[in-house]
Amino acid sequence: MSKKVLIVDDAAFMRMMIKDILTKNGYEVVGEAQDGAQAVEKYKELSPDLVTMDITMPEMDGITALKEIKQINPEAKIIMCSAMGQQAMVIDAIQAGAKDFIVKPFQADRVIEAIQKVIG
């Protein structure tokens, strides 16, 4: 059975890029969200195996959403997506329970490597 992934990013083209990488590598994208609040709702609804979470988003940022999802499910597996130069936020995210992070612009092999490390 393929692993289910929820993609969270406020930029539609970024979601499309990740979705493309994942589906080509046999993962099933079960949902997409464009901000942290939506991400929390979709997580409750879909129970994905993994979430890719952008850090900087309107409404609710990725770190706040990460913390909320971790309250729902402490075992939640979340990989943060950050732009270059967001190291401080990445450290916050890892401390809050993120399993790994990938840096934009995405390199397909790095995305898959991070995901395989987290959910196999």
Side-chain angles (χ1 to χ4, degrees):
M1 202 176 97
S2 60
K3 301 283 188 180
K4 299 184 304 209
V5 183
L6 170 63
I7 298 172
V8 186
D9 199 304
D10 56 334
F13 75 96
M14 283 295 178
R15 292 198 306 270
M16 206 169 70
M17 234 156 92
I18 298 177
K19 186 176 188 170
D20 191 48
I21 294 168
L22 294 178
T23 49
K24 280 183 180 150
N25 285 276
Y27 294 94
E28 183 190 353
V29 175
V30 289
E32 295 180 30
Q34 55 194 16
D35 62 54
Q38 254 185 18
V40 174
E41 288 311 306
K42 295 255 183 183
Y43 186 86
K44 286 185 212 167
E45 184 189 318
L46 302 166
S47 302
D49 297 304
L50 178 82
V51 181
T52 65
M53 179 86 69
D54 187 21
I55 291 182
T56 326
M57 294 181 289
E59 298 292 321
M60 180 193 289
D61 67 61
I63 294 174
T64 307
L66 162 76
K67 289 175 180 167
E68 291 207 10
I69 289 171
K70 283 292 200 176
Q71 284 179 333
I72 299 163
N73 177 7
E75 297 299 304
K77 293 178 171 60
I78 301 168
I79 294 178
M80 302 309 279
C81 305
S82 73
M84 286 297 213
Q86 290 183 321
Q87 280 84 349
M89 286 197 256
V90 167
I91 291 165
D92 287 351
I94 299 287
Q95 287 172 338
K99 298 286 184 202
D100 202 348
F101 68 95
I102 42 183
V103 178
K104 298 175 185 176
F106 301 121
Q107 273 138 353
D109 54 352
R110 173 67 189 112
V111 172
I112 295 305
E113 180 193 315
I115 289 172
Q116 285 175 341
K117 199 166 84 182
V118 174
I119 59 170

